Amino acid sequence: MEVNPLAVILVYFDSKGDRLLYRYPYQTLGQTLKLEEPHEEQPNKKRNPFAVASTDDLLQTPTHQHPTQAQGQGQGQLQGFADDVLSALFAVKPQLCNQKFELKLNDVRFVSHPTLISVVPAVTSNSASNQTTTSGSNAASSSVAVTVAKKQQMLINIVFALHAQASYSIVKCYHELSKRLGLALKFEEQRSGYLTEQTAYMARTHDEQQQQPLERTFELIAERCSLAKALKSICNDLCTTGLLSTTLNSNLTLTFCLPAKAHQLHKKGSMVDPETIDRCLRALKPYHGMLLLVDFAELLDCVPPTGARMLWQLVDAYNPLISLQSMASNADLSIEHVYKLVSHLVYWAKATIIYPLCETNVYVIAPDAPLHTKSHLVEKFSTRFAGMSLFEVISDFSLPTSIGHLTTPLQQPARQGILAQMVLWMLQHHLLMQLHTYVQFMPSDDDEFGDSASCNQTHMPGSCDNLTEEERDDDPLHGGSILSMSSQPLPMPVNANRRPMVEDHDSLASDNIAVQPSSSHKSNFSMTASLSTDNCDSLDSMEDEQKLKELLQVFNDADRAAIRRIPASLNVDDLSLLVKLYQMGYFKSEHHLEEIMYFENLRRSQLLQLLDKFRDVLIIYETEDPAIASMYNNK
C-alpha cells in the first residue's frame, strides 16, 4: 500500500472563475490521443463482436488512449488528467466548502478540504473637494481619498492525489494536512493579504507564459512564489520522510507528521497508523520509560517554537534508565505534561516506549530483525562500537536472557556501561524485544496430584534431599530466580510433605482437645506450664484458621480445594497477599510483574516468593507487552 502522494494541486476560484494555479510534480501529463489518429498505432486486440459499449456513465466511456498514457497513475505520477478538467472538478460549490472532499477516479483518489476565505480589497476613489476661499490665504483644492470596503469571497482548494488503495487512516492524514494548510492560508490572508498576493503572481505568470510549455510555467511559478515553493517542499518531504516543518509567509510555521511514512525510517516495512499509536499511548503508565530514536538536534523539528522550552526541560532530564515519573520529577513537570510530550515524540517517530533499562529486564531477538549478512546495521554497529560484532553481541539474546545474566560482579563498570549502550542501540533499531512475565491463575483438579504425591514422595524430582547445594541454588523452585527459566509455563510439582487439608484440621482439633489439663496431672508443674502454653497457641491457631477460611471464600469449591493442598495457604500473610492480587485481577495474564510491583508497591523479591510458594496454582510465562508491540507488528 502506497503512502506517497501522486501530486499536490492548488485550485483557486473567485468571481472571475476557477483556475488551476499550480501542481507538483509538473512533468508532462499523459494526454488522450485524438480520434483521427490512425488505428495502426493502437494495440491489436481482438474485440468481442457481442460486446455492447455503455455510454450512460461518462467516466466509463471508452476513449482511444495510448497504452502507456491511460488516465490514472503511472510510475508514481498523475497521468491522463488535463488541468482544465481538474480545475472544474475541484472548484466546488460553497455548500461543499469547509469539509472533507474525496473523489475517486479510476485508480486515483483525490482528497482535500476546500476552504472559503473572505477577502476585503481596498478600492480607492478620488473626489474633488469644494474650493473655499478665506482671507489671507489662497484658494486651494484638495483631493480626498475615499476607501470603499467591498466584501468578496474566494475558494482555495489544496488537493492531494493518492493511490486509490490507500487506507482510511492515510486518507484521513492527508485530509488533515489539507485542512491545516487551508486554515494557515486563511490566517495569513486576513493578517496581510498573503494569499491574494500569491495567487495574483501565479495568474500573471500563467498569462505571460501562454506560449511556453506548461511545465516551464510551473517551474517559473515555483521560483517566483513562496506558496508554490512551500507546496513543492511539502510534497517532497511527504515522499521522503513524512515529516513537515514549513513556514508560510515567513511568519507561520506548519508542522505535520505522516506516521505511516515516518516510522518506516526506523523499521522498514512497518505500517504504523495513528489509531495504533493512540492505542499504545493510552496504555502509557508512570513506570514506563522513553528511548529517543534520534539525536537531540532533530527534536525541534517536530514542535512549534512555542513548545520548544517545555520539550527541552524533558530532554534535560531524559534518561533511559529511569521511569517517566522520575523524569517528570527531575524536569519539574507534571506527569500529564510528560505524557503529552512523550506521546508527541512517539507519534513523530522520534522516540519509543520501553521499560527502564535494568538488570532484571529480559530481552530476546525480535522475530523480524533484519540480521542478514548484507544488512546496513552490521556496519553501522561496528562504526558505533569499535571492535565489536553485531552478530556476536546479539547472539547472547538468541534465548530470552536478562542483562544481569550477561554481567558478573567482577566485571569492570565500564564494560557494564558498554553492554547497556549496546542494548539501547539494538532497541533503537528494533533488533531486540523485551519480554515481561505474566501470571495466570490455573488450579489443578482435586485428585490430580493427591494420590501420586504420597506414592512418589521419596522419588520426587523436586525434593530438596536429592539436590546438591549447587543444584539447589540453580533450581528456581528452591531459591533460584524464576525469571531465569525459559518462556515455558512453570511446572506444578507436588510437595512431598503435603497432607490433605481435612486431615490437618482433624488432627488440629484433636490436639486442642488433648491439651486440656486433667486433675490427675495437676501435681506436675512442668506439664501444667506446657499445657498452658499450648492452650494459647491453640487459641491463636483457631483465630488464624477462621481468618484463613474467610480468605478462601473468594474462591469456588474446586479452586479452594486446590489452594488448601498448598502448605503456604496456612500462612495468613501469604494467603492474604494471594487473595488481594487475585481480587485485583492480576492473575489473568493481563498484567506483567512490573505493573503489579508498581501499583501494589511490592518488591520483586516479595512477588517472586509468592509465585514460588503458590506455583501449584499459578503459572507464569514471558511475552512482550502487547500495547507496545502493536505499534510495529502491523504490516
Side-chain angles (χ1 to χ4, degrees):
M1 181 174 49
E2 296 290 341
V3 299
N4 296 341
L6 297 174
V8 57
I9 304 169
L10 175 62
V11 174
Y12 174 84
F13 178 76
D14 61 2
S15 58
K16 298 179 182 179
D18 59 81
R19 195 166 191 177
L20 191 151
L21 295 178
Y22 183 73
R23 59 175 167 80
Y24 181 82
Y26 35 73
Q27 284 77 11
T28 302
L29 297 182
Q31 300 295 335
T32 58
L33 299 179
K34 298 180 180 179
L35 295 179
E36 56 269 15
E37 289 184 345
H39 293 282
E40 289 76 13
E41 297 183 8
Q42 301 296 332
N44 294 326
K45 183 178 180 181
K46 188 176 180 180
R47 176 179 173 80
N48 189 343
F50 302 100
V52 178
S54 175
T55 58
D56 294 337
D57 189 353
L58 296 179
L59 294 178
Q60 301 299 329
T61 301
T63 57
H64 298 279
Q65 297 178 341
H66 193 277
T68 61
Q69 293 181 343
Q71 289 183 346
Q73 50 159 312
Q75 298 180 354
Q77 304 293 337
L78 183 65
Q79 295 184 353
F81 297 99
D83 286 0
D84 54 348
V85 175
L86 296 176
S87 177
L89 285 175
F90 303 140
V92 299
K93 295 181 179 180
Q95 292 83 353
L96 298 177
C97 292
N98 301 322
Q99 58 182 306
K100 182 181 180 180
F101 176 83
E102 185 174 347
L103 176 66
K104 181 179 178 294
L105 293 177
N106 299 335
D107 55 350
V108 179
R109 189 182 303 274
F110 299 95
V111 183
S112 68
H113 188 91
T115 305
L116 202 61
I117 301 176
S118 299
V119 183
V120 184
V123 181
T124 305
S125 62
N126 295 331
S127 62
S129 61
N130 296 328
Q131 297 181 357
T132 57
T133 305
T134 56
S135 59
S137 64
N138 297 327
S141 63
S142 62
S143 176
V144 180
V146 179
T147 300
V148 180
K150 183 180 179 181
K151 185 176 181 180
Q152 296 180 352
Q153 285 187 330
M154 64 175 177
L155 178 142
I156 191 74
N157 196 2
I158 299 177
V159 186
F160 291 97
L162 309 175
H163 296 265
Q165 68 270 26
S167 66
Y168 168 78
S169 62
I170 294 177
V171 173
K172 184 179 179 181
C173 289
Y174 277 101
H175 168 250
E176 179 66 21
L177 177 57
S178 178
K179 180 180 179 180
R180 292 189 187 184
L181 286 169
L183 293 176
L185 292 176
K186 182 178 181 179
F187 175 82
E188 287 301 311
E189 172 64 24
Q190 295 174 349
R191 188 183 71 88
S192 62
Y194 173 70
L195 185 58
T196 300
E197 174 189 326
Q198 293 296 305
T199 54
Y201 284 158
M202 295 180 186
R204 188 181 308 117
T205 305
H206 276 285
D207 296 338
E208 295 174 355
Q209 302 292 324
Q210 290 183 356
Q211 304 302 325
Q212 298 293 329
L214 194 57
E215 291 72 26
R216 174 56 186 164
T217 302
F218 288 139
E219 289 180 2
L220 194 59
I221 289 176
E223 296 174 1
R224 293 181 177 180
C225 304
S226 61
L227 177 57
K229 189 180 300 183
L231 293 177
K232 178 181 178 181
S233 174
I234 287 174
C235 187
N236 289 331
D237 289 342
L238 289 173
C239 293
T240 53
T241 63
L243 304 176
L244 307 181
S245 182
T246 304
T247 302
L248 298 176
N249 196 23
S250 302
N251 176 67
L252 185 62
T253 301
L254 175 67
T255 59
F256 179 79
C257 173
L258 184 62
K261 185 72 175 182
H263 285 265
Q264 291 189 16
L265 299 176
H266 305 288
K267 189 172 184 180
K268 187 176 181 181
S270 61
M271 296 298 298
V272 182
D273 53 60
E275 293 77 14
T276 303
I277 299 177
D278 290 340
R279 287 196 300 269
C280 173
L281 296 178
R282 283 197 295 268
L284 204 60
K285 299 295 189 298
Y287 59 78
H288 280 127
M290 179 182 68
L291 177 63
L292 292 179
L293 302 178
V294 298
D295 296 332
F296 292 158
E298 300 181 36
L299 296 179
L300 290 180
D301 296 339
C302 67
V303 295
T306 54
R309 182 186 62 83
M310 189 175 295
L311 177 62
W312 278 117
Q313 285 184 251
L314 178 63
V315 171
D316 288 340
Y318 164 72
N319 189 342
L321 307 181
I322 63 177
S323 64
L324 296 180
Q325 188 175 40
S326 299
M327 279 191 277
S329 177
N330 296 340
D332 196 19
L333 295 172
S334 65
I335 190 64
E336 289 78 13
H337 286 158
V338 172
Y339 281 165
K340 292 180 180 179
L341 290 172
V342 172
S343 300
H344 187 77
L345 293 177
V346 171
Y347 188 91
W348 277 70
K350 305 289 187 180
T352 188
I353 303 300
I354 63 171
Y355 187 80
L357 198 67
C358 61
E359 291 185 350
T360 56
N361 287 5
V362 178
Y363 299 100
V364 70
I365 299 177
D368 55 351
L371 292 176
H372 50 87
T373 55
K374 296 183 179 180
S375 174
H376 70 284
L377 295 178
V378 177
E379 183 178 355
K380 189 175 181 180
F381 182 86
S382 300
T383 304
R384 174 64 177 84
F385 302 98
M388 303 298 295
S389 171
L390 175 61
F391 296 118
E392 181 180 351
V393 173
I394 205 170
S395 63
D396 293 332
F397 299 95
S398 298
L399 295 177
T401 306
S402 66
I403 298 180
H405 287 171
L406 301 178
T407 60
T408 62
L410 301 179
Q411 279 185 339
Q412 297 180 356
R415 170 60 183 171
Q416 297 179 0
I418 293 176
L419 177 61
Q421 292 297 325
M422 290 190 293
V423 171
L424 291 175
W425 188 93
M426 290 185 285
L427 288 175
Q428 288 175 331
H429 295 82
H430 305 285
L431 300 179
L432 296 179
M433 67 177 182
Q434 182 176 359
L435 299 181
H436 295 272
T437 302
Y438 291 83
V439 186
Q440 175 67 46
F441 181 77
M442 189 174 293
S444 60
D445 294 337
D446 291 344
D447 299 328
E448 183 177 357
F449 298 106
D451 297 336
S452 61
S454 58
C455 296
N456 300 324
Q457 288 180 2
T458 59
H459 303 286
M460 190 179 65
S463 176
C464 297
D465 298 335
N466 298 330
L467 295 178
T468 63
E469 182 177 355
E470 181 179 358
E471 292 174 341
R472 185 177 306 174
D473 293 338
D474 295 336
D475 187 359
L477 302 181
H478 302 92
S481 173
I482 292 180
L483 288 181
S484 63
M485 301 182 66
S486 65
S487 57
Q488 299 295 328
L490 279 179
M492 298 190 301
V494 182
N495 195 318
N497 299 321
R498 178 192 302 163
R499 290 187 301 170
M501 194 66 186
V502 177
E503 296 179 5
D504 292 344
H505 291 166
D506 295 340
S507 62
L508 182 62
S510 62
D511 291 342
N512 293 337
I513 297 175
V515 296
Q516 300 296 332
S518 61
S519 57
S520 60
H521 296 84
K522 287 182 181 180
S523 59
N524 193 331
F525 176 80
S526 60
M527 177 64 71
T528 303
S530 175
L531 292 176
S532 177
T533 305
D534 290 343
N535 276 330
C536 296
D537 294 340
S538 299
L539 293 176
D540 293 340
S541 63
M542 293 178 64
E543 294 177 358
D544 291 343
E545 183 178 355
Q546 183 63 29
K547 190 172 183 179
L548 292 174
K549 289 182 179 180
E550 295 176 357
L551 292 173
L552 290 173
Q553 292 302 314
V554 301
F555 302 100
N556 56 37
D557 294 339
D559 297 347
R560 192 182 306 120
I563 296 176
R564 282 179 180 273
R565 294 196 300 268
I566 302 175
S569 63
L570 299 177
N571 188 296
V572 176
D573 294 335
D574 291 339
L575 187 60
S576 298
L577 182 58
L578 176 74
V579 172
K580 176 184 177 181
L581 298 181
Y582 175 82
Q583 290 180 317
M584 295 296 294
Y586 289 128
F587 297 154
K588 298 180 180 179
S589 300
E590 298 176 356
H591 307 273
H592 50 73
L593 296 189
E594 289 79 11
E595 185 173 0
I596 301 174
M597 290 161 52
Y598 177 82
F599 287 109
E600 299 304 324
N601 194 23
L602 294 174
R603 295 190 304 272
R604 182 178 294 270
S605 59
Q606 290 180 273
L607 193 54
L608 292 180
Q609 288 176 7
L610 181 72
L611 298 180
D612 186 48
K613 291 178 180 178
F614 290 93
R615 59 183 178 273
D616 292 356
V617 294
L618 298 177
I619 63 173
I620 66 172
Y621 65 95
E622 294 174 344
T623 185
E624 54 185 338
D625 190 340
I628 299 177
S630 63
M631 282 188 57
Y632 295 104
N633 284 350
N634 296 331
K635 293 188 177 180

